[in-house]
Amino acid sequence: DQQVKQNSPSLSVQEGRISILNCDYTNSMFDYFLWYKKYPAEGPTFLISISSIKDKNEDGRFTVFLNKSAKHLSLHIVPSQPGDSAVYFCAASEGDDKIIFGKGTRLHILP
Amino acid sequence: GAVVSQHPSWVICKSGTSVKIECRSLDFQATTMFWYRQFPKQSLMLMATSNEGSKATYEQGVEKDKFLINHASLTLSTLTVTSAHPEDSSFYICSAAHGTLMNIQYFGAGTRLSVL
C-alpha cells in the first residue's frame, strides 16, 4: 500500500506561469514532509520541507502548502522557469523513521 | 550544499558475478548512509540504513546476504551486489545524512546496474 501518492505522473506548464505539484499521504502520523527534485542521470536534490506544525513554508520561488486534515501537500513554483523541468518527488517521514517517497511527477516547462 | 559521490555511474556485468558500488560524502561526515533502489516509474525504495561502524539495518524483504553493505568510515559506504542476476538490474542510489538533520538526505547520482 502506497503511503505517499503522487497521482499525476507528468505535468506541463508554460514558462512564467505557476506550477502546482500535488501529493497525498495516508499515514496521519507523518510529521515531516519534503520535496526533492531530480534531473536525469542525477540523484535527487533536496528542495524544500515542511513540518506538520506548519501549513506553509516558502523559499524563493518555491512554496509548500500542507493541509493535514486532507492529508495533502502541494508544491508551488512561481514563476516557472525552463530549469525547473525535472522529476519532483514528494516524501514524508514519521519522527526518525525512514523517509517514504512518492513515485514522482515529471514537470515540463514549455517555452 | 553537501556533496555525495557515487561510483560507478553505470555497470554491466555477467550473471553470477559480484558488483561493488561506492558512496562517498565529499565535504561532510555522514553519520548515516542510506541505500535505495528504483525501478522504472517507481518510488525510491529504501533497501537499508547504515551507521558508521555498525551493521546495516535492512528493510523487510531485502536479502542482507545478497546486498552486502559496509560503512567503514564516516565518509564511505559500499553496497556489494553478490552473485548478481538479471532481476537485480536496477538503479541504485545512495544518500547520506549528518548530524541531527536526518530527514534531509543528500543523494549520490546513482548507479545503473545491468546484469546480463
Side-chain angles (χ1 to χ4, degrees), chain A residues 2 32 34 36 38 41-44 46 89 93 95 97-99 101-103, chain B residues 36 38 41-44 46 49 59 91 93 102-110:
Chain A
Q2 243 190 318
Y32 199 75
L34 311 95
Y36 279 85
K38 184 181 182 303
E42 294 184 13
F46 170 73
F89 288 97
S93 67
D97 206 352
K98 62 185 177 184
I99 296 177
F101 286 84
K103 289 185 178 182
Chain B
Y36 291 86
Q38 185 182 23
K41 298 183 181 180
Q42 297 293 322
S43 306
L44 292 166
L46 180 64
T49 302
E59 294 300 304
F91 193 60
I93 305 179
M102 298 300 293
N103 283 330
I104 298 177
Q105 299 175 22
Y106 301 94
F107 285 82

PDB file of all heavy atoms in Angstrom, chain A residues 2 32 34 36 38 41-44 46 89 93 95 97-99 101-103, chain B residues 36 38 41-44 46 49 59 91 93 102-110:
ATOM      1  N   GLN A   2       0.630   2.115  -0.953  1.00  0.00           N
ATOM      2  CA  GLN A   2       1.455   3.307  -1.065  1.00  0.00           C
ATOM      3  C   GLN A   2       1.036   4.332  -0.037  1.00  0.00           C
ATOM      4  O   GLN A   2      -0.117   4.772  -0.020  1.00  0.00           O
ATOM      5  CB  GLN A   2       1.295   3.886  -2.473  1.00  0.00           C
ATOM      6  CG  GLN A   2       2.567   3.892  -3.272  1.00  0.00           C
ATOM      7  CD  GLN A   2       2.401   4.684  -4.533  1.00  0.00           C
ATOM      8  OE1 GLN A   2       1.382   4.580  -5.188  1.00  0.00           O
ATOM      9  NE2 GLN A   2       3.390   5.475  -4.868  1.00  0.00           N
ATOM     10  N   TYR A  32       6.761  15.113   8.990  1.00  0.00           N
ATOM     11  CA  TYR A  32       7.746  15.910   8.259  1.00  0.00           C
ATOM     12  C   TYR A  32       7.632  15.543   6.793  1.00  0.00           C
ATOM     13  O   TYR A  32       7.573  14.365   6.441  1.00  0.00           O
ATOM     14  CB  TYR A  32       9.156  15.622   8.783  1.00  0.00           C
ATOM     15  CG  TYR A  32      10.169  16.679   8.442  1.00  0.00           C
ATOM     16  CD1 TYR A  32      10.185  17.893   9.119  1.00  0.00           C
ATOM     17  CD2 TYR A  32      11.124  16.478   7.448  1.00  0.00           C
ATOM     18  CE1 TYR A  32      11.110  18.873   8.810  1.00  0.00           C
ATOM     19  CE2 TYR A  32      12.058  17.446   7.142  1.00  0.00           C
ATOM     20  CZ  TYR A  32      12.048  18.647   7.832  1.00  0.00           C
ATOM     21  OH  TYR A  32      12.965  19.617   7.527  1.00  0.00           O
ATOM     22  N   LEU A  34       8.853  16.467   2.637  1.00  0.00           N
ATOM     23  CA  LEU A  34       9.931  17.032   1.846  1.00  0.00           C
ATOM     24  C   LEU A  34       9.609  16.927   0.365  1.00  0.00           C
ATOM     25  O   LEU A  34       8.862  16.051  -0.062  1.00  0.00           O
ATOM     26  CB  LEU A  34      11.250  16.279   2.100  1.00  0.00           C
ATOM     27  CG  LEU A  34      11.672  16.029   3.541  1.00  0.00           C
ATOM     28  CD1 LEU A  34      11.216  14.652   4.007  1.00  0.00           C
ATOM     29  CD2 LEU A  34      13.187  16.127   3.663  1.00  0.00           C
ATOM     30  N   TYR A  36      11.816  16.692  -3.267  1.00  0.00           N
ATOM     31  CA  TYR A  36      13.109  16.529  -3.902  1.00  0.00           C
ATOM     32  C   TYR A  36      12.921  16.728  -5.401  1.00  0.00           C
ATOM     33  O   TYR A  36      11.892  16.399  -5.971  1.00  0.00           O
ATOM     34  CB  TYR A  36      13.663  15.123  -3.659  1.00  0.00           C
ATOM     35  CG  TYR A  36      14.324  14.934  -2.313  1.00  0.00           C
ATOM     36  CD1 TYR A  36      13.571  14.615  -1.183  1.00  0.00           C
ATOM     37  CD2 TYR A  36      15.700  15.068  -2.170  1.00  0.00           C
ATOM     38  CE1 TYR A  36      14.176  14.444   0.043  1.00  0.00           C
ATOM     39  CE2 TYR A  36      16.309  14.886  -0.938  1.00  0.00           C
ATOM     40  CZ  TYR A  36      15.540  14.577   0.159  1.00  0.00           C
ATOM     41  OH  TYR A  36      16.146  14.401   1.375  1.00  0.00           O
ATOM     42  N   LYS A  38      14.736  15.957  -9.202  1.00  0.00           N
ATOM     43  CA  LYS A  38      15.701  15.043  -9.809  1.00  0.00           C
ATOM     44  C   LYS A  38      15.810  15.285 -11.312  1.00  0.00           C
ATOM     45  O   LYS A  38      14.826  15.208 -12.043  1.00  0.00           O
ATOM     46  CB  LYS A  38      15.296  13.590  -9.542  1.00  0.00           C
ATOM     47  CG  LYS A  38      16.291  12.572 -10.065  1.00  0.00           C
ATOM     48  CD  LYS A  38      15.827  11.153  -9.787  1.00  0.00           C
ATOM     49  CE  LYS A  38      16.847  10.124 -10.276  1.00  0.00           C
ATOM     50  NZ  LYS A  38      17.168  10.239 -11.693  1.00  0.00           N
ATOM     51  N   ALA A  41      19.820  11.206 -14.860  1.00  0.00           N
ATOM     52  CA  ALA A  41      21.194  10.755 -14.579  1.00  0.00           C
ATOM     53  C   ALA A  41      21.800  11.442 -13.354  1.00  0.00           C
ATOM     54  O   ALA A  41      23.024  11.436 -13.183  1.00  0.00           O
ATOM     55  CB  ALA A  41      22.099  10.953 -15.796  1.00  0.00           C
ATOM     56  N   GLU A  42      20.980  12.022 -12.534  1.00  0.00           N
ATOM     57  CA  GLU A  42      21.480  12.596 -11.283  1.00  0.00           C
ATOM     58  C   GLU A  42      20.629  12.084 -10.119  1.00  0.00           C
ATOM     59  O   GLU A  42      19.492  11.659 -10.307  1.00  0.00           O
ATOM     60  CB  GLU A  42      21.409  14.122 -11.307  1.00  0.00           C
ATOM     61  CG  GLU A  42      22.323  14.774 -12.324  1.00  0.00           C
ATOM     62  CD  GLU A  42      22.284  16.284 -12.233  1.00  0.00           C
ATOM     63  OE1 GLU A  42      21.752  16.814 -11.234  1.00  0.00           O
ATOM     64  OE2 GLU A  42      22.785  16.937 -13.150  1.00  0.00           O
ATOM     65  N   GLY A  43      21.211  12.161  -8.917  1.00  0.00           N
ATOM     66  CA  GLY A  43      20.428  11.808  -7.748  1.00  0.00           C
ATOM     67  C   GLY A  43      19.473  12.935  -7.377  1.00  0.00           C
ATOM     68  O   GLY A  43      19.633  14.069  -7.814  1.00  0.00           O
ATOM     69  N   PRO A  44      18.460  12.631  -6.577  1.00  0.00           N
ATOM     70  CA  PRO A  44      17.534  13.680  -6.133  1.00  0.00           C
ATOM     71  C   PRO A  44      18.252  14.731  -5.292  1.00  0.00           C
ATOM     72  O   PRO A  44      19.189  14.413  -4.555  1.00  0.00           O
ATOM     73  CB  PRO A  44      16.526  12.912  -5.273  1.00  0.00           C
ATOM     74  CG  PRO A  44      16.654  11.478  -5.681  1.00  0.00           C
ATOM     75  CD  PRO A  44      18.091  11.304  -6.060  1.00  0.00           C
ATOM     76  N   PHE A  46      17.549  17.871  -2.481  1.00  0.00           N
ATOM     77  CA  PHE A  46      16.565  18.416  -1.560  1.00  0.00           C
ATOM     78  C   PHE A  46      16.132  19.800  -2.023  1.00  0.00           C
ATOM     79  O   PHE A  46      16.939  20.642  -2.408  1.00  0.00           O
ATOM     80  CB  PHE A  46      17.160  18.489  -0.158  1.00  0.00           C
ATOM     81  CG  PHE A  46      16.312  19.248   0.816  1.00  0.00           C
ATOM     82  CD1 PHE A  46      15.145  18.704   1.299  1.00  0.00           C
ATOM     83  CD2 PHE A  46      16.691  20.513   1.236  1.00  0.00           C
ATOM     84  CE1 PHE A  46      14.358  19.408   2.197  1.00  0.00           C
ATOM     85  CE2 PHE A  46      15.915  21.221   2.124  1.00  0.00           C
ATOM     86  CZ  PHE A  46      14.743  20.670   2.606  1.00  0.00           C
ATOM     87  N   PHE A  89       9.898  14.585  -6.482  1.00  0.00           N
ATOM     88  CA  PHE A  89       9.457  13.550  -5.553  1.00  0.00           C
ATOM     89  C   PHE A  89       8.946  14.189  -4.275  1.00  0.00           C
ATOM     90  O   PHE A  89       9.613  15.034  -3.674  1.00  0.00           O
ATOM     91  CB  PHE A  89      10.612  12.608  -5.188  1.00  0.00           C
ATOM     92  CG  PHE A  89      11.029  11.688  -6.297  1.00  0.00           C
ATOM     93  CD1 PHE A  89      12.103  12.002  -7.108  1.00  0.00           C
ATOM     94  CD2 PHE A  89      10.355  10.500  -6.519  1.00  0.00           C
ATOM     95  CE1 PHE A  89      12.502  11.154  -8.136  1.00  0.00           C
ATOM     96  CE2 PHE A  89      10.746   9.642  -7.541  1.00  0.00           C
ATOM     97  CZ  PHE A  89      11.820   9.974  -8.347  1.00  0.00           C
ATOM     98  N   SER A  93       7.959  11.509   6.421  1.00  0.00           N
ATOM     99  CA  SER A  93       8.531  10.650   7.458  1.00  0.00           C
ATOM    100  C   SER A  93       7.786  10.874   8.768  1.00  0.00           C
ATOM    101  O   SER A  93       7.128  11.899   8.978  1.00  0.00           O
ATOM    102  CB  SER A  93      10.020  10.912   7.635  1.00  0.00           C
ATOM    103  OG  SER A  93      10.240  12.205   8.153  1.00  0.00           O
ATOM    104  N   GLY A  95       8.695  10.969  12.695  1.00  0.00           N
ATOM    105  CA  GLY A  95       9.785  11.015  13.661  1.00  0.00           C
ATOM    106  C   GLY A  95      11.108  10.722  12.988  1.00  0.00           C
ATOM    107  O   GLY A  95      11.437  11.281  11.948  1.00  0.00           O
ATOM    108  N   ASP A  97      11.822   7.843  11.759  1.00  0.00           N
ATOM    109  CA  ASP A  97      11.633   6.682  10.908  1.00  0.00           C
ATOM    110  C   ASP A  97      12.036   7.022   9.463  1.00  0.00           C
ATOM    111  O   ASP A  97      12.289   8.178   9.119  1.00  0.00           O
ATOM    112  CB  ASP A  97      10.165   6.244  10.952  1.00  0.00           C
ATOM    113  CG  ASP A  97      10.004   4.766  10.637  1.00  0.00           C
ATOM    114  OD1 ASP A  97      11.007   4.131  10.240  1.00  0.00           O
ATOM    115  OD2 ASP A  97       8.875   4.256  10.766  1.00  0.00           O
ATOM    116  N   LYS A  98      12.085   6.009   8.637  1.00  0.00           N
ATOM    117  CA  LYS A  98      12.563   6.184   7.268  1.00  0.00           C
ATOM    118  C   LYS A  98      11.660   7.116   6.481  1.00  0.00           C
ATOM    119  O   LYS A  98      10.482   7.303   6.779  1.00  0.00           O
ATOM    120  CB  LYS A  98      12.623   4.830   6.567  1.00  0.00           C
ATOM    121  CG  LYS A  98      11.280   4.143   6.432  1.00  0.00           C
ATOM    122  CD  LYS A  98      11.426   2.766   5.835  1.00  0.00           C
ATOM    123  CE  LYS A  98      10.082   2.068   5.766  1.00  0.00           C
ATOM    124  NZ  LYS A  98      10.186   0.691   5.274  1.00  0.00           N
ATOM    125  N   ILE A  99      12.250   7.699   5.455  1.00  0.00           N
ATOM    126  CA  ILE A  99      11.507   8.584   4.565  1.00  0.00           C
ATOM    127  C   ILE A  99      10.826   7.744   3.501  1.00  0.00           C
ATOM    128  O   ILE A  99      11.440   6.872   2.899  1.00  0.00           O
ATOM    129  CB  ILE A  99      12.452   9.613   3.923  1.00  0.00           C
ATOM    130  CG1 ILE A  99      13.054  10.516   5.001  1.00  0.00           C
ATOM    131  CG2 ILE A  99      11.719  10.439   2.876  1.00  0.00           C
ATOM    132  CD1 ILE A  99      14.048  11.514   4.455  1.00  0.00           C
ATOM    133  N   PHE A 101       8.982   7.774  -0.117  1.00  0.00           N
ATOM    134  CA  PHE A 101       8.901   8.609  -1.313  1.00  0.00           C
ATOM    135  C   PHE A 101       7.675   8.263  -2.148  1.00  0.00           C
ATOM    136  O   PHE A 101       7.247   7.104  -2.191  1.00  0.00           O
ATOM    137  CB  PHE A 101      10.143   8.409  -2.188  1.00  0.00           C
ATOM    138  CG  PHE A 101      11.388   9.047  -1.643  1.00  0.00           C
ATOM    139  CD1 PHE A 101      12.165   8.393  -0.702  1.00  0.00           C
ATOM    140  CD2 PHE A 101      11.788  10.295  -2.084  1.00  0.00           C
ATOM    141  CE1 PHE A 101      13.315   8.974  -0.202  1.00  0.00           C
ATOM    142  CE2 PHE A 101      12.944  10.889  -1.588  1.00  0.00           C
ATOM    143  CZ  PHE A 101      13.705  10.231  -0.642  1.00  0.00           C
ATOM    144  N   GLY A 102       7.145   9.266  -2.839  1.00  0.00           N
ATOM    145  CA  GLY A 102       6.147   9.026  -3.866  1.00  0.00           C
ATOM    146  C   GLY A 102       6.829   8.601  -5.152  1.00  0.00           C
ATOM    147  O   GLY A 102       8.066   8.532  -5.221  1.00  0.00           O
ATOM    148  N   LYS A 103       6.041   8.318  -6.186  1.00  0.00           N
ATOM    149  CA  LYS A 103       6.604   7.843  -7.446  1.00  0.00           C
ATOM    150  C   LYS A 103       7.189   8.966  -8.279  1.00  0.00           C
ATOM    151  O   LYS A 103       7.899   8.730  -9.240  1.00  0.00           O
ATOM    152  CB  LYS A 103       5.528   7.131  -8.271  1.00  0.00           C
ATOM    153  CG  LYS A 103       5.097   5.793  -7.710  1.00  0.00           C
ATOM    154  CD  LYS A 103       4.123   5.121  -8.662  1.00  0.00           C
ATOM    155  CE  LYS A 103       3.732   3.754  -8.125  1.00  0.00           C
ATOM    156  NZ  LYS A 103       2.816   3.057  -9.068  1.00  0.00           N
TER     157      LYS A 103
ATOM    158  N   TYR B  36      19.105   3.040  -1.675  1.00  0.00           N
ATOM    159  CA  TYR B  36      17.790   2.934  -2.276  1.00  0.00           C
ATOM    160  C   TYR B  36      17.895   2.196  -3.604  1.00  0.00           C
ATOM    161  O   TYR B  36      18.940   2.174  -4.257  1.00  0.00           O
ATOM    162  CB  TYR B  36      17.201   4.324  -2.556  1.00  0.00           C
ATOM    163  CG  TYR B  36      16.834   5.128  -1.337  1.00  0.00           C
ATOM    164  CD1 TYR B  36      17.789   5.908  -0.689  1.00  0.00           C
ATOM    165  CD2 TYR B  36      15.538   5.139  -0.856  1.00  0.00           C
ATOM    166  CE1 TYR B  36      17.459   6.666   0.422  1.00  0.00           C
ATOM    167  CE2 TYR B  36      15.182   5.896   0.253  1.00  0.00           C
ATOM    168  CZ  TYR B  36      16.151   6.654   0.880  1.00  0.00           C
ATOM    169  OH  TYR B  36      15.815   7.403   1.986  1.00  0.00           O
ATOM    170  N   GLN B  38      15.599   1.916  -7.276  1.00  0.00           N
ATOM    171  CA  GLN B  38      14.477   2.488  -8.004  1.00  0.00           C
ATOM    172  C   GLN B  38      14.233   1.719  -9.286  1.00  0.00           C
ATOM    173  O   GLN B  38      15.129   1.593 -10.127  1.00  0.00           O
ATOM    174  CB  GLN B  38      14.721   3.960  -8.323  1.00  0.00           C
ATOM    175  CG  GLN B  38      13.514   4.639  -8.973  1.00  0.00           C
ATOM    176  CD  GLN B  38      13.753   6.075  -9.349  1.00  0.00           C
ATOM    177  OE1 GLN B  38      14.877   6.497  -9.536  1.00  0.00           O
ATOM    178  NE2 GLN B  38      12.678   6.844  -9.468  1.00  0.00           N
ATOM    179  N   LYS B  41       9.730   4.185 -13.217  1.00  0.00           N
ATOM    180  CA  LYS B  41       8.435   4.777 -12.872  1.00  0.00           C
ATOM    181  C   LYS B  41       7.949   4.364 -11.489  1.00  0.00           C
ATOM    182  O   LYS B  41       6.748   4.342 -11.227  1.00  0.00           O
ATOM    183  CB  LYS B  41       7.380   4.426 -13.929  1.00  0.00           C
ATOM    184  CG  LYS B  41       7.717   4.955 -15.317  1.00  0.00           C
ATOM    185  CD  LYS B  41       6.622   4.652 -16.311  1.00  0.00           C
ATOM    186  CE  LYS B  41       7.004   5.180 -17.690  1.00  0.00           C
ATOM    187  NZ  LYS B  41       5.968   4.896 -18.695  1.00  0.00           N
ATOM    188  N   GLN B  42       8.870   4.040 -10.627  1.00  0.00           N
ATOM    189  CA  GLN B  42       8.507   3.653  -9.262  1.00  0.00           C
ATOM    190  C   GLN B  42       9.182   4.580  -8.255  1.00  0.00           C
ATOM    191  O   GLN B  42      10.056   5.361  -8.594  1.00  0.00           O
ATOM    192  CB  GLN B  42       8.930   2.203  -8.987  1.00  0.00           C
ATOM    193  CG  GLN B  42       8.246   1.178  -9.862  1.00  0.00           C
ATOM    194  CD  GLN B  42       6.774   1.077  -9.596  1.00  0.00           C
ATOM    195  OE1 GLN B  42       6.325   1.159  -8.448  1.00  0.00           O
ATOM    196  NE2 GLN B  42       6.002   0.922 -10.648  1.00  0.00           N
ATOM    197  N   SER B  43       8.722   4.480  -7.023  1.00  0.00           N
ATOM    198  CA  SER B  43       9.326   5.269  -5.943  1.00  0.00           C
ATOM    199  C   SER B  43      10.743   4.791  -5.664  1.00  0.00           C
ATOM    200  O   SER B  43      11.150   3.708  -6.066  1.00  0.00           O
ATOM    201  CB  SER B  43       8.523   5.104  -4.663  1.00  0.00           C
ATOM    202  OG  SER B  43       7.179   5.399  -4.835  1.00  0.00           O
ATOM    203  N   LEU B  44      11.454   5.631  -4.966  1.00  0.00           N
ATOM    204  CA  LEU B  44      12.718   5.183  -4.383  1.00  0.00           C
ATOM    205  C   LEU B  44      12.369   4.267  -3.217  1.00  0.00           C
ATOM    206  O   LEU B  44      11.660   4.665  -2.306  1.00  0.00           O
ATOM    207  CB  LEU B  44      13.515   6.380  -3.860  1.00  0.00           C
ATOM    208  CG  LEU B  44      14.066   7.344  -4.903  1.00  0.00           C
ATOM    209  CD1 LEU B  44      14.527   8.619  -4.240  1.00  0.00           C
ATOM    210  CD2 LEU B  44      15.211   6.699  -5.655  1.00  0.00           C
ATOM    211  N   LEU B  46      13.659   2.197  -0.048  1.00  0.00           N
ATOM    212  CA  LEU B  46      14.792   2.064   0.855  1.00  0.00           C
ATOM    213  C   LEU B  46      15.155   0.595   1.010  1.00  0.00           C
ATOM    214  O   LEU B  46      14.301  -0.248   1.294  1.00  0.00           O
ATOM    215  CB  LEU B  46      14.445   2.660   2.223  1.00  0.00           C
ATOM    216  CG  LEU B  46      15.537   2.589   3.287  1.00  0.00           C
ATOM    217  CD1 LEU B  46      16.751   3.425   2.870  1.00  0.00           C
ATOM    218  CD2 LEU B  46      15.003   3.067   4.632  1.00  0.00           C
ATOM    219  N   THR B  49      19.698   0.935   5.882  1.00  0.00           N
ATOM    220  CA  THR B  49      20.269   2.109   6.535  1.00  0.00           C
ATOM    221  C   THR B  49      21.549   1.670   7.234  1.00  0.00           C
ATOM    222  O   THR B  49      21.556   0.646   7.925  1.00  0.00           O
ATOM    223  CB  THR B  49      19.294   2.667   7.587  1.00  0.00           C
ATOM    224  OG1 THR B  49      18.070   2.995   6.943  1.00  0.00           O
ATOM    225  CG2 THR B  49      19.870   3.899   8.264  1.00  0.00           C
ATOM    226  N   GLU B  59      15.721  -3.339   5.257  1.00  0.00           N
ATOM    227  CA  GLU B  59      14.267  -3.293   5.192  1.00  0.00           C
ATOM    228  C   GLU B  59      13.727  -4.702   4.923  1.00  0.00           C
ATOM    229  O   GLU B  59      14.426  -5.578   4.393  1.00  0.00           O
ATOM    230  CB  GLU B  59      13.819  -2.342   4.095  1.00  0.00           C
ATOM    231  CG  GLU B  59      14.180  -0.897   4.385  1.00  0.00           C
ATOM    232  CD  GLU B  59      13.556  -0.363   5.658  1.00  0.00           C
ATOM    233  OE1 GLU B  59      12.309  -0.434   5.764  1.00  0.00           O
ATOM    234  OE2 GLU B  59      14.304   0.097   6.541  1.00  0.00           O
ATOM    235  N   PHE B  91      18.317   0.671 -10.792  1.00  0.00           N
ATOM    236  CA  PHE B  91      19.027   1.910 -10.486  1.00  0.00           C
ATOM    237  C   PHE B  91      19.201   1.969  -8.968  1.00  0.00           C
ATOM    238  O   PHE B  91      18.215   1.915  -8.241  1.00  0.00           O
ATOM    239  CB  PHE B  91      18.200   3.092 -11.002  1.00  0.00           C
ATOM    240  CG  PHE B  91      18.929   4.408 -11.034  1.00  0.00           C
ATOM    241  CD1 PHE B  91      20.079   4.558 -11.791  1.00  0.00           C
ATOM    242  CD2 PHE B  91      18.452   5.499 -10.328  1.00  0.00           C
ATOM    243  CE1 PHE B  91      20.742   5.777 -11.845  1.00  0.00           C
ATOM    244  CE2 PHE B  91      19.106   6.710 -10.368  1.00  0.00           C
ATOM    245  CZ  PHE B  91      20.264   6.861 -11.124  1.00  0.00           C
ATOM    246  N   ILE B  93      20.662   4.031  -5.694  1.00  0.00           N
ATOM    247  CA  ILE B  93      21.061   5.374  -5.267  1.00  0.00           C
ATOM    248  C   ILE B  93      21.398   5.362  -3.788  1.00  0.00           C
ATOM    249  O   ILE B  93      20.671   4.775  -2.992  1.00  0.00           O
ATOM    250  CB  ILE B  93      19.939   6.409  -5.490  1.00  0.00           C
ATOM    251  CG1 ILE B  93      19.474   6.419  -6.937  1.00  0.00           C
ATOM    252  CG2 ILE B  93      20.397   7.806  -5.101  1.00  0.00           C
ATOM    253  CD1 ILE B  93      18.352   7.414  -7.192  1.00  0.00           C
ATOM    254  N   MET B 102      18.493  14.357  10.118  1.00  0.00           N
ATOM    255  CA  MET B 102      18.390  13.045   9.477  1.00  0.00           C
ATOM    256  C   MET B 102      17.380  13.047   8.348  1.00  0.00           C
ATOM    257  O   MET B 102      17.471  12.258   7.431  1.00  0.00           O
ATOM    258  CB  MET B 102      18.006  11.999  10.522  1.00  0.00           C
ATOM    259  CG  MET B 102      19.019  11.839  11.639  1.00  0.00           C
ATOM    260  SD  MET B 102      20.610  11.340  11.006  1.00  0.00           S
ATOM    261  CE  MET B 102      20.214   9.717  10.432  1.00  0.00           C
ATOM    262  N   ASN B 103      16.400  13.912   8.423  1.00  0.00           N
ATOM    263  CA  ASN B 103      15.384  13.907   7.377  1.00  0.00           C
ATOM    264  C   ASN B 103      15.897  14.463   6.065  1.00  0.00           C
ATOM    265  O   ASN B 103      15.371  14.157   5.016  1.00  0.00           O
ATOM    266  CB  ASN B 103      14.168  14.714   7.821  1.00  0.00           C
ATOM    267  CG  ASN B 103      13.314  13.937   8.798  1.00  0.00           C
ATOM    268  OD1 ASN B 103      13.265  12.721   8.749  1.00  0.00           O
ATOM    269  ND2 ASN B 103      12.658  14.628   9.677  1.00  0.00           N
ATOM    270  N   ILE B 104      16.905  15.317   6.124  1.00  0.00           N
ATOM    271  CA  ILE B 104      17.414  15.897   4.885  1.00  0.00           C
ATOM    272  C   ILE B 104      18.598  15.065   4.437  1.00  0.00           C
ATOM    273  O   ILE B 104      19.655  15.081   5.054  1.00  0.00           O
ATOM    274  CB  ILE B 104      17.807  17.363   5.084  1.00  0.00           C
ATOM    275  CG1 ILE B 104      16.571  18.171   5.478  1.00  0.00           C
ATOM    276  CG2 ILE B 104      18.426  17.921   3.806  1.00  0.00           C
ATOM    277  CD1 ILE B 104      16.843  19.620   5.774  1.00  0.00           C
ATOM    278  N   GLN B 105      18.386  14.336   3.375  1.00  0.00           N
ATOM    279  CA  GLN B 105      19.420  13.467   2.848  1.00  0.00           C
ATOM    280  C   GLN B 105      19.998  14.048   1.571  1.00  0.00           C
ATOM    281  O   GLN B 105      19.296  14.667   0.780  1.00  0.00           O
ATOM    282  CB  GLN B 105      18.837  12.080   2.571  1.00  0.00           C
ATOM    283  CG  GLN B 105      18.286  11.391   3.809  1.00  0.00           C
ATOM    284  CD  GLN B 105      17.613  10.074   3.494  1.00  0.00           C
ATOM    285  OE1 GLN B 105      17.868   9.459   2.462  1.00  0.00           O
ATOM    286  NE2 GLN B 105      16.750   9.629   4.383  1.00  0.00           N
ATOM    287  N   TYR B 106      21.274  13.813   1.395  1.00  0.00           N
ATOM    288  CA  TYR B 106      21.973  14.260   0.190  1.00  0.00           C
ATOM    289  C   TYR B 106      22.283  13.023  -0.635  1.00  0.00           C
ATOM    290  O   TYR B 106      22.877  12.072  -0.140  1.00  0.00           O
ATOM    291  CB  TYR B 106      23.235  15.028   0.573  1.00  0.00           C
ATOM    292  CG  TYR B 106      22.912  16.232   1.430  1.00  0.00           C
ATOM    293  CD1 TYR B 106      22.946  16.148   2.820  1.00  0.00           C
ATOM    294  CD2 TYR B 106      22.535  17.445   0.845  1.00  0.00           C
ATOM    295  CE1 TYR B 106      22.622  17.241   3.610  1.00  0.00           C
ATOM    296  CE2 TYR B 106      22.209  18.542   1.633  1.00  0.00           C
ATOM    297  CZ  TYR B 106      22.242  18.435   3.008  1.00  0.00           C
ATOM    298  OH  TYR B 106      21.912  19.507   3.783  1.00  0.00           O
ATOM    299  N   PHE B 107      21.859  13.071  -1.883  1.00  0.00           N
ATOM    300  CA  PHE B 107      21.904  11.881  -2.714  1.00  0.00           C
ATOM    301  C   PHE B 107      23.103  11.857  -3.653  1.00  0.00           C
ATOM    302  O   PHE B 107      23.553  12.900  -4.139  1.00  0.00           O
ATOM    303  CB  PHE B 107      20.630  11.781  -3.562  1.00  0.00           C
ATOM    304  CG  PHE B 107      19.424  11.346  -2.777  1.00  0.00           C
ATOM    305  CD1 PHE B 107      18.708  12.251  -2.023  1.00  0.00           C
ATOM    306  CD2 PHE B 107      19.016  10.018  -2.783  1.00  0.00           C
ATOM    307  CE1 PHE B 107      17.596  11.854  -1.293  1.00  0.00           C
ATOM    308  CE2 PHE B 107      17.902   9.614  -2.060  1.00  0.00           C
ATOM    309  CZ  PHE B 107      17.197  10.530  -1.314  1.00  0.00           C
ATOM    310  N   GLY B 108      23.577  10.646  -3.913  1.00  0.00           N
ATOM    311  CA  GLY B 108      24.538  10.448  -4.990  1.00  0.00           C
ATOM    312  C   GLY B 108      23.809  10.460  -6.315  1.00  0.00           C
ATOM    313  O   GLY B 108      22.578  10.543  -6.368  1.00  0.00           O
ATOM    314  N   ALA B 109      24.559  10.374  -7.393  1.00  0.00           N
ATOM    315  CA  ALA B 109      23.973  10.436  -8.733  1.00  0.00           C
ATOM    316  C   ALA B 109      23.345   9.119  -9.154  1.00  0.00           C
ATOM    317  O   ALA B 109      22.631   9.067 -10.147  1.00  0.00           O
ATOM    318  CB  ALA B 109      25.028  10.856  -9.749  1.00  0.00           C
ATOM    319  N   GLY B 110      23.610   8.066  -8.395  1.00  0.00           N
ATOM    320  CA  GLY B 110      23.002   6.779  -8.717  1.00  0.00           C
ATOM    321  C   GLY B 110      23.895   5.915  -9.586  1.00  0.00           C
ATOM    322  O   GLY B 110      24.813   6.393 -10.259  1.00  0.00           O
TER     323      GLY B 110
END
